[in-house]
Amino acid sequence: MPNFHGSYLPTITPFTAGNEVDVAGIHANVDWWINEGTHGLIPGGSAGEFLQLSDDEYRLMVAETVEAAAGRVPVIVGITSDSTADALSKAQFAEEVGADGTMLAPPYYSQVDASELEAHFRDVAQGSALPMMVYNNPFTTGVELTPQFLAELGKSEDNVKYVKDTSYNVQRVIEINDLSGGEIKVFAGLLGYESIVVGAVGWVSIPGLVVPALSAALAEAALSGDLQRAAKLHAAVFPLMKIEEDTGKFVQIPKAALNLMNRAAGSPRAPRRDLAGAELTRLREILAQVQATQGTLVGTS
């Protein structure tokens, strides 16, 4: 079982001016993120607009991300689907192209009961040899995966050893570690600094898409126990976290920021729209502030 830890990025899917998947942009972004110290990549998640991609586009994006990473960092592929068969097909494709793991959230529309939910995760886990990161995101899916559920799933399925927990409750990190005997490792979806302090092994960082060096340094400092440095890095990246929290625009914010930085992003696909007006003005100000602070803290800009 690989040792996933640190700052993992839920990669955006860049689009060309013609609204096609920007393959060159994928490679350019992946190179930059890795060179800035990013510890791992997660294509095919919410920030990657997986629901707005055709099957062919999804497979292209995943394959190109794995190819661009070239084994330098782990690639965990988002395989979430409301269909168990589709999620399993995505897991098997991820394995075929050489990914290092998969990430699966609950069905988000079917309103499954507890036994159906358990079977969904077990069927997909058993259909692929790749390690699976279970994704708890009750804000989006409407399904709360309890620490007890996660611990039991980890005990029954050898390749389920990670969870991305997107909640504002860091107590869950302690509960998951306790109930699983430390067998289920937690990545924070929110509150990366606070979660690592109480036992998480990393965070899935949307701000890291824009300031990857800051995000990686924060994770490294917190994991090493240098909490004073970690707190400074957390304070530096917090304005980006705050605008994402205030707006809920976890696709539009990083894409707009990357566009402002002349990096590959393009527009989000409908129904989302480009960031504009007061929100874009606020982002410009935050980006300038964060980039200046980053240069001081990690020696990059």
Side-chain angles (χ1 to χ4, degrees):
M1 185 65 61
N3 179 22
F4 300 146
H5 66 279
S7 173
Y8 277 52
L9 306 187
T11 61
I12 58 120
T13 302
F15 298 120
T16 66
N19 200 30
E20 297 179 344
V21 173
D22 183 355
V23 172
I26 290 173
H27 284 255
N29 285 341
V30 167
D31 282 342
W32 175 57
W33 288 324
I34 293 175
N35 290 336
E36 290 284 292
T38 295
H39 302 104
L41 304 171
I42 305 180
S46 305
E49 301 175 87
F50 76 97
L51 287 171
Q52 284 72 48
L53 300 176
S54 69
D55 287 345
D56 287 345
E57 288 176 325
Y58 167 85
R59 289 171 179 257
L60 174 65
M61 177 274 298
V62 168
E64 294 295 338
T65 302
V66 173
E67 181 179 322
R72 292 175 289 172
V73 299
V75 178
I76 299 174
V77 176
I79 60 168
T80 296
S81 175
D82 217 50
S83 159
T84 302
D86 183 55
L88 179 55
S89 176
K90 289 179 175 178
Q92 292 169 341
F93 177 75
E95 190 170 358
E96 289 170 10
V97 299
D100 301 280
T102 60
M103 184 178 76
L104 179 64
Y108 44 81
Y109 192 80
S110 294
Q111 297 181 313
V112 297
D113 66 22
S115 63
E116 292 166 335
L117 181 65
E118 180 181 359
H120 178 72
F121 281 103
R122 286 186 172 173
D123 287 350
V124 178
Q126 292 171 8
S128 168
L130 291 178
M132 178 189 290
M133 178 182 287
V134 176
Y135 184 9
N136 180 53
N137 187 351
F139 305 114
T140 299
T141 65
V143 179
E144 178 84 38
L145 301 177
T146 67
Q148 185 67 46
F149 175 90
L150 294 166
E152 291 177 358
L153 184 65
K155 289 174 183 176
S156 68
E157 304 302 327
D158 289 340
N159 57 338
V160 178
K161 296 302 178 187
Y162 292 90
V163 59
K164 175 186 174 184
D165 190 64
T166 298
S167 72
Y168 287 99
N169 181 9
V170 297
Q171 178 68 28
R172 283 178 55 91
V173 178
I174 300 170
E175 292 180 22
I176 292 166
N177 282 337
D178 181 55
L179 289 172
S180 72
E183 290 297 311
I184 299 290
K185 309 298 184 184
V186 181
F187 273 75
L190 299 167
L191 306 181
Y193 165 71
E194 297 90 340
S195 296
I196 293 173
V197 167
V198 297
V201 298
W203 70 320
V204 181
S205 172
I206 290 180
L209 295 167
V210 179
V211 283
L214 265 180
S215 180
L218 192 165
E220 290 169 1
L223 288 168
S224 71
D226 188 350
L227 300 188
Q228 185 175 9
R229 174 168 168 75
K232 290 180 180 179
L233 290 159
H234 171 70
V237 78
F238 182 76
L240 275 173
M241 299 168 64
K242 181 61 174 171
I243 189 173
E244 290 159 6
E245 176 187 347
D246 289 348
T247 64
K249 295 182 177 179
F250 54 86
V251 174
Q252 299 94 318
I253 294 288
K255 279 203 156 183
L258 289 169
N259 284 327
L260 290 171
M261 297 165 66
N262 294 316
R263 297 198 178 275
S267 297
R269 281 189 172 169
R272 296 184 180 96
R273 302 295 183 187
D274 285 315
L275 204 69
E279 290 175 341
L280 182 58
T281 298
R282 179 183 174 191
L283 177 62
R284 287 180 186 273
E285 295 170 352
I286 289 172
L287 189 59
Q289 173 190 342
V290 173
Q291 287 177 322
T293 306
Q294 175 176 262
T296 300
L297 289 175
V298 298
T300 187
S301 60

Short mmCIF file of all heavy atoms in Angstrom, two decimals, residues 45-47 50 80 103-108 121 134-146 150 163-168 172 187 189-190 206 250:
data_model
loop_
_atom_site.label_atom_id
_atom_site.label_comp_id
_atom_site.label_asym_id
_atom_site.label_seq_id
_atom_site.Cartn_x
_atom_site.Cartn_y
_atom_site.Cartn_z
N GLY A 45 -11.97 15.13 -10.06
CA GLY A 45 -12.81 15.48 -8.92
C GLY A 45 -13.72 16.64 -9.23
O GLY A 45 -13.86 17.06 -10.39
N SER A 46 -14.32 17.20 -8.18
CA SER A 46 -15.28 18.29 -8.37
C SER A 46 -14.64 19.49 -9.04
O SER A 46 -15.22 20.10 -9.94
CB SER A 46 -15.87 18.70 -7.02
OG SER A 46 -16.43 17.60 -6.35
N ALA A 47 -13.43 19.87 -8.60
CA ALA A 47 -12.75 21.02 -9.19
C ALA A 47 -12.38 20.78 -10.64
O ALA A 47 -12.16 21.72 -11.40
CB ALA A 47 -11.51 21.38 -8.38
N PHE A 50 -15.78 17.13 -13.49
CA PHE A 50 -15.98 15.80 -14.08
C PHE A 50 -17.40 15.61 -14.60
O PHE A 50 -17.62 14.87 -15.56
CB PHE A 50 -15.62 14.70 -13.07
CG PHE A 50 -16.62 14.45 -11.98
CD1 PHE A 50 -17.55 13.43 -12.11
CD2 PHE A 50 -16.63 15.21 -10.82
CE1 PHE A 50 -18.48 13.17 -11.10
CE2 PHE A 50 -17.54 14.96 -9.80
CZ PHE A 50 -18.47 13.96 -9.95
N THR A 80 -15.95 9.11 -9.07
CA THR A 80 -17.31 9.22 -8.55
C THR A 80 -18.35 9.18 -9.65
O THR A 80 -18.21 9.81 -10.69
CB THR A 80 -17.45 10.53 -7.75
OG1 THR A 80 -16.58 10.46 -6.62
CG2 THR A 80 -18.88 10.75 -7.29
N MET A 103 -10.38 7.73 -6.15
CA MET A 103 -11.14 8.43 -5.12
C MET A 103 -12.63 8.34 -5.46
O MET A 103 -13.03 8.69 -6.57
CB MET A 103 -10.72 9.89 -5.00
CG MET A 103 -11.42 10.64 -3.87
SD MET A 103 -10.86 12.36 -3.68
CE MET A 103 -11.72 13.12 -5.09
N LEU A 104 -13.44 7.90 -4.50
CA LEU A 104 -14.85 7.65 -4.76
C LEU A 104 -15.72 8.27 -3.68
O LEU A 104 -15.56 7.98 -2.49
CB LEU A 104 -15.10 6.13 -4.81
CG LEU A 104 -16.54 5.66 -5.06
CD1 LEU A 104 -17.03 6.10 -6.44
CD2 LEU A 104 -16.63 4.14 -4.92
N ALA A 105 -16.64 9.12 -4.09
CA ALA A 105 -17.66 9.69 -3.21
C ALA A 105 -18.93 8.86 -3.31
O ALA A 105 -19.11 8.06 -4.23
CB ALA A 105 -17.93 11.15 -3.58
N PRO A 106 -19.88 9.05 -2.38
CA PRO A 106 -21.14 8.31 -2.45
C PRO A 106 -21.96 8.71 -3.67
O PRO A 106 -21.78 9.79 -4.23
CB PRO A 106 -21.87 8.74 -1.16
CG PRO A 106 -20.83 9.32 -0.28
CD PRO A 106 -19.79 9.91 -1.19
N PRO A 107 -22.89 7.84 -4.07
CA PRO A 107 -23.86 8.26 -5.08
C PRO A 107 -24.57 9.53 -4.61
O PRO A 107 -24.95 9.64 -3.44
CB PRO A 107 -24.84 7.07 -5.14
CG PRO A 107 -24.05 5.91 -4.65
CD PRO A 107 -23.13 6.46 -3.61
N TYR A 108 -24.71 10.49 -5.50
CA TYR A 108 -25.16 11.83 -5.09
C TYR A 108 -26.61 12.13 -5.48
O TYR A 108 -27.10 13.22 -5.20
CB TYR A 108 -24.24 12.90 -5.71
CG TYR A 108 -23.90 12.65 -7.17
CD1 TYR A 108 -24.80 12.99 -8.19
CD2 TYR A 108 -22.71 12.04 -7.52
CE1 TYR A 108 -24.49 12.73 -9.50
CE2 TYR A 108 -22.40 11.78 -8.84
CZ TYR A 108 -23.29 12.12 -9.83
OH TYR A 108 -22.99 11.85 -11.14
N PHE A 121 -19.52 0.92 -2.42
CA PHE A 121 -18.08 1.06 -2.17
C PHE A 121 -17.36 -0.28 -2.26
O PHE A 121 -16.26 -0.38 -2.82
CB PHE A 121 -17.85 1.69 -0.80
CG PHE A 121 -18.04 3.18 -0.80
CD1 PHE A 121 -19.19 3.75 -0.27
CD2 PHE A 121 -17.08 4.02 -1.35
CE1 PHE A 121 -19.37 5.12 -0.27
CE2 PHE A 121 -17.26 5.40 -1.36
CZ PHE A 121 -18.41 5.96 -0.82
N VAL A 134 -11.77 7.02 -0.03
CA VAL A 134 -13.20 7.29 0.07
C VAL A 134 -13.37 8.79 0.32
O VAL A 134 -12.62 9.40 1.08
CB VAL A 134 -13.83 6.47 1.20
CG1 VAL A 134 -15.30 6.83 1.37
CG2 VAL A 134 -13.67 4.99 0.91
N TYR A 135 -14.35 9.39 -0.34
CA TYR A 135 -14.53 10.83 -0.29
C TYR A 135 -15.81 11.17 0.45
O TYR A 135 -16.91 10.89 -0.05
CB TYR A 135 -14.55 11.37 -1.73
CG TYR A 135 -14.63 12.87 -1.88
CD1 TYR A 135 -14.49 13.75 -0.81
CD2 TYR A 135 -14.86 13.43 -3.14
CE1 TYR A 135 -14.57 15.12 -0.98
CE2 TYR A 135 -14.93 14.80 -3.33
CZ TYR A 135 -14.79 15.65 -2.24
OH TYR A 135 -14.86 17.00 -2.42
N ASN A 136 -15.67 11.73 1.64
CA ASN A 136 -16.83 12.17 2.41
C ASN A 136 -17.06 13.65 2.14
O ASN A 136 -16.25 14.50 2.54
CB ASN A 136 -16.61 11.96 3.91
CG ASN A 136 -17.80 12.42 4.73
OD1 ASN A 136 -18.93 12.01 4.48
ND2 ASN A 136 -17.56 13.28 5.72
N ASN A 137 -18.13 13.97 1.43
CA ASN A 137 -18.46 15.36 1.10
C ASN A 137 -19.97 15.56 1.23
O ASN A 137 -20.69 15.64 0.24
CB ASN A 137 -18.00 15.70 -0.32
CG ASN A 137 -18.15 17.18 -0.65
OD1 ASN A 137 -18.75 17.94 0.11
ND2 ASN A 137 -17.64 17.58 -1.79
N PRO A 138 -20.45 15.65 2.48
CA PRO A 138 -21.90 15.74 2.68
C PRO A 138 -22.51 17.01 2.13
O PRO A 138 -23.71 17.03 1.81
CB PRO A 138 -22.04 15.68 4.21
CG PRO A 138 -20.71 16.13 4.74
CD PRO A 138 -19.71 15.64 3.74
N PHE A 139 -21.72 18.08 2.00
CA PHE A 139 -22.26 19.33 1.47
C PHE A 139 -22.73 19.18 0.03
O PHE A 139 -23.70 19.80 -0.40
CB PHE A 139 -21.22 20.45 1.55
CG PHE A 139 -20.66 20.65 2.93
CD1 PHE A 139 -19.33 20.37 3.20
CD2 PHE A 139 -21.46 21.09 3.97
CE1 PHE A 139 -18.80 20.54 4.47
CE2 PHE A 139 -20.95 21.28 5.24
CZ PHE A 139 -19.62 21.00 5.50
N THR A 140 -22.02 18.36 -0.75
CA THR A 140 -22.35 18.17 -2.16
C THR A 140 -23.22 16.95 -2.40
O THR A 140 -24.18 17.00 -3.16
CB THR A 140 -21.06 18.05 -2.99
OG1 THR A 140 -20.31 19.26 -2.86
CG2 THR A 140 -21.37 17.82 -4.46
N THR A 141 -22.88 15.84 -1.74
CA THR A 141 -23.59 14.59 -2.02
C THR A 141 -24.84 14.41 -1.18
O THR A 141 -25.72 13.61 -1.53
CB THR A 141 -22.67 13.38 -1.76
OG1 THR A 141 -22.35 13.32 -0.35
CG2 THR A 141 -21.40 13.48 -2.58
N GLY A 142 -24.92 15.11 -0.04
CA GLY A 142 -26.05 14.91 0.86
C GLY A 142 -25.93 13.65 1.70
O GLY A 142 -26.87 13.27 2.39
N VAL A 143 -24.76 12.98 1.63
CA VAL A 143 -24.54 11.73 2.35
C VAL A 143 -23.36 11.91 3.31
O VAL A 143 -22.27 12.30 2.88
CB VAL A 143 -24.24 10.57 1.39
CG1 VAL A 143 -23.99 9.28 2.17
CG2 VAL A 143 -25.38 10.39 0.39
N GLU A 144 -23.58 11.64 4.57
CA GLU A 144 -22.52 11.71 5.58
C GLU A 144 -21.98 10.30 5.83
O GLU A 144 -22.74 9.41 6.25
CB GLU A 144 -23.06 12.29 6.88
CG GLU A 144 -22.04 12.35 8.00
CD GLU A 144 -21.15 13.58 7.95
OE1 GLU A 144 -21.65 14.66 7.60
OE2 GLU A 144 -19.95 13.44 8.24
N LEU A 145 -20.71 10.09 5.56
CA LEU A 145 -20.07 8.81 5.83
C LEU A 145 -19.50 8.87 7.24
O LEU A 145 -18.54 9.59 7.50
CB LEU A 145 -18.97 8.53 4.81
CG LEU A 145 -19.41 8.48 3.34
CD1 LEU A 145 -18.20 8.26 2.43
CD2 LEU A 145 -20.44 7.38 3.13
N THR A 146 -20.09 8.12 8.16
CA THR A 146 -19.69 8.21 9.56
C THR A 146 -18.31 7.59 9.76
O THR A 146 -17.88 6.71 9.00
CB THR A 146 -20.69 7.48 10.46
OG1 THR A 146 -20.62 6.07 10.19
CG2 THR A 146 -22.12 7.98 10.23
N LEU A 150 -16.64 4.23 7.85
CA LEU A 150 -15.33 4.23 7.22
C LEU A 150 -14.41 3.18 7.83
O LEU A 150 -13.68 2.48 7.12
CB LEU A 150 -14.70 5.62 7.32
CG LEU A 150 -15.43 6.72 6.55
CD1 LEU A 150 -14.95 8.10 6.99
CD2 LEU A 150 -15.24 6.56 5.05
N VAL A 163 -9.23 8.32 3.41
CA VAL A 163 -10.47 9.07 3.25
C VAL A 163 -10.13 10.54 3.07
O VAL A 163 -9.24 11.07 3.74
CB VAL A 163 -11.42 8.88 4.46
CG1 VAL A 163 -10.78 9.33 5.76
CG2 VAL A 163 -12.74 9.62 4.24
N LYS A 164 -10.81 11.18 2.14
CA LYS A 164 -10.79 12.63 2.05
C LYS A 164 -12.04 13.10 2.78
O LYS A 164 -13.16 12.81 2.37
CB LYS A 164 -10.82 13.11 0.59
CG LYS A 164 -10.93 14.63 0.46
CD LYS A 164 -11.10 15.07 -0.98
CE LYS A 164 -11.36 16.56 -1.08
NZ LYS A 164 -11.62 17.01 -2.49
N ASP A 165 -11.84 13.85 3.86
CA ASP A 165 -12.96 14.29 4.67
C ASP A 165 -13.18 15.78 4.49
O ASP A 165 -12.40 16.60 4.98
CB ASP A 165 -12.71 13.97 6.14
CG ASP A 165 -13.96 14.19 6.97
OD1 ASP A 165 -14.95 13.47 6.73
OD2 ASP A 165 -13.96 15.09 7.84
N THR A 166 -14.23 16.12 3.76
CA THR A 166 -14.56 17.52 3.53
C THR A 166 -15.66 17.92 4.50
O THR A 166 -16.85 17.78 4.24
CB THR A 166 -15.02 17.72 2.07
OG1 THR A 166 -13.93 17.40 1.20
CG2 THR A 166 -15.40 19.18 1.82
N SER A 167 -15.23 18.37 5.65
CA SER A 167 -16.16 18.84 6.67
C SER A 167 -15.44 19.90 7.49
O SER A 167 -14.24 20.11 7.35
CB SER A 167 -16.61 17.68 7.59
OG SER A 167 -15.55 17.28 8.44
N TYR A 168 -16.18 20.56 8.32
CA TYR A 168 -15.59 21.55 9.22
C TYR A 168 -15.42 20.98 10.62
O TYR A 168 -15.30 21.71 11.60
CB TYR A 168 -16.47 22.80 9.27
CG TYR A 168 -16.40 23.64 8.02
CD1 TYR A 168 -17.38 23.54 7.04
CD2 TYR A 168 -15.33 24.51 7.80
CE1 TYR A 168 -17.32 24.31 5.88
CE2 TYR A 168 -15.25 25.26 6.64
CZ TYR A 168 -16.25 25.16 5.70
OH TYR A 168 -16.17 25.90 4.55
N ARG A 172 -13.62 14.59 13.58
CA ARG A 172 -13.76 13.38 12.77
C ARG A 172 -12.41 12.72 12.51
O ARG A 172 -12.32 11.50 12.41
CB ARG A 172 -14.46 13.70 11.45
CG ARG A 172 -15.97 13.88 11.56
CD ARG A 172 -16.57 14.25 10.20
NE ARG A 172 -16.20 13.29 9.19
CZ ARG A 172 -16.91 12.20 8.86
NH1 ARG A 172 -18.05 11.95 9.48
NH2 ARG A 172 -16.50 11.39 7.92
N PHE A 187 -7.15 12.53 4.77
CA PHE A 187 -6.79 13.76 4.09
C PHE A 187 -7.92 14.75 4.32
O PHE A 187 -9.09 14.41 4.15
CB PHE A 187 -6.64 13.54 2.58
CG PHE A 187 -5.28 13.10 2.14
CD1 PHE A 187 -4.85 11.80 2.35
CD2 PHE A 187 -4.41 13.98 1.50
CE1 PHE A 187 -3.60 11.39 1.95
CE2 PHE A 187 -3.15 13.58 1.09
CZ PHE A 187 -2.74 12.28 1.32
N GLY A 189 -10.32 17.75 3.38
CA GLY A 189 -10.81 18.48 2.22
C GLY A 189 -10.93 19.96 2.53
O GLY A 189 -10.90 20.80 1.64
N LEU A 190 -11.07 20.26 3.81
CA LEU A 190 -11.09 21.63 4.34
C LEU A 190 -10.23 21.63 5.60
O LEU A 190 -9.92 20.57 6.15
CB LEU A 190 -12.51 22.07 4.69
CG LEU A 190 -13.53 22.10 3.55
CD1 LEU A 190 -14.94 22.24 4.11
CD2 LEU A 190 -13.24 23.24 2.58
N ILE A 206 -7.45 23.02 -2.72
CA ILE A 206 -7.82 23.88 -3.84
C ILE A 206 -6.92 25.11 -3.91
O ILE A 206 -6.47 25.49 -5.00
CB ILE A 206 -9.32 24.25 -3.77
CG1 ILE A 206 -10.16 23.01 -4.08
CG2 ILE A 206 -9.64 25.37 -4.77
CD1 ILE A 206 -11.66 23.25 -4.04
N PHE A 250 -15.58 26.90 -6.08
CA PHE A 250 -14.33 26.17 -6.01
C PHE A 250 -13.78 25.78 -7.38
O PHE A 250 -12.68 25.26 -7.48
CB PHE A 250 -14.50 24.92 -5.14
CG PHE A 250 -15.64 24.03 -5.57
CD1 PHE A 250 -15.47 23.07 -6.55
CD2 PHE A 250 -16.89 24.16 -4.99
CE1 PHE A 250 -16.51 22.26 -6.95
CE2 PHE A 250 -17.95 23.35 -5.39
CZ PHE A 250 -17.75 22.40 -6.38
#
